[in-house]
Amino acid sequence: MTWAVRRAGAADVAALADLYATSARTLGPLVYTPAQVDAWAGFGRDTPRFRDVVLGATTWLAADADGAALGFCGVADHGEVRSLYVRADRMRQGLGTALLAHALADARSRGVTRLAAWATPFSLPVFERAGFVLVARVAQDFNGVRFERLRVALG
């Protein structure tokens, strides 16, 4: 599989919101309750909050030869990995690992030395392969529903 990585911009937000919501609805039922899936997927809309996730960080988008979004990963200037999502049909093909590596290399080139993220059960192995360690498990509300969240850190 081949893809190209480019910086995501405002024109990409709607497609990334759709990818996010579709991933949540496809993968979520494997580990989450229906209410949790709805809460997770419900965040994937082109809203100011979602736009901030994408545009409030340096976000990289992987696209296929036709320009369709396959995944995205963004790191804010303070070192928070704000996103790491791959289309469900492209998981376990190295794309998430490649996107994270690209985003981390870019962050380091901008002087970021300490990185952290909130991982899901799906992204935790990708973060761990990149050297992140699990530092906390926290029960928190997200979109009004309780989740166990996984905090990972690097550096």
Side-chain angles (χ1 to χ4, degrees):
M1 169 181 66
T2 61
W3 60 79
V5 177
R6 65 173 174 79
R7 179 94 183 257
D12 299 307
V13 172
L16 298 184
D18 183 57
L19 186 153
Y20 175 101
T22 300
S23 291
R25 293 217 179 276
T26 303
L27 300 171
L30 300 174
V31 295
Y32 295 128
T33 68
Q36 288 172 316
V37 171
D38 287 345
W40 185 21
F43 186 73
R45 293 185 308 277
D46 186 354
T47 63
R49 283 178 60 209
F50 188 84
R51 291 178 77 76
D52 182 58
V53 166
V54 175
L55 303 177
T58 301
T59 299
W60 298 96
L61 178 151
D64 66 14
D66 296 325
L70 301 174
F72 62 103
C73 182
V75 180
D77 289 342
H78 64 279
E80 182 73 20
V81 180
R82 303 277 310 270
S83 59
L84 177 57
Y85 288 90
V86 173
R87 230 171 56 188
D89 65 335
R90 297 302 177 112
M91 287 184 63
R92 305 202 192 306
Q93 298 175 23
L95 181 56
T97 299
L99 270 170
L100 181 59
H102 185 90
L104 295 180
D106 173 71
R108 287 184 179 116
S109 77
R110 293 184 283 121
V112 177
T113 57
R114 297 181 56 85
L115 296 135
W118 289 105
T120 69
F122 305 105
S123 64
L124 182 60
V126 178
F127 282 111
E128 288 176 332
R129 282 193 299 273
F132 284 76
V133 295
L134 180 64
V135 295
R137 291 179 183 267
V138 180
Q140 289 181 324
D141 284 355
F142 177 75
N143 274 357
V145 178
R146 194 67 135 185
F147 282 83
E148 179 184 59
R149 300 190 70 202
L150 308 171
R151 187 66 171 166
V152 295
L154 175 68

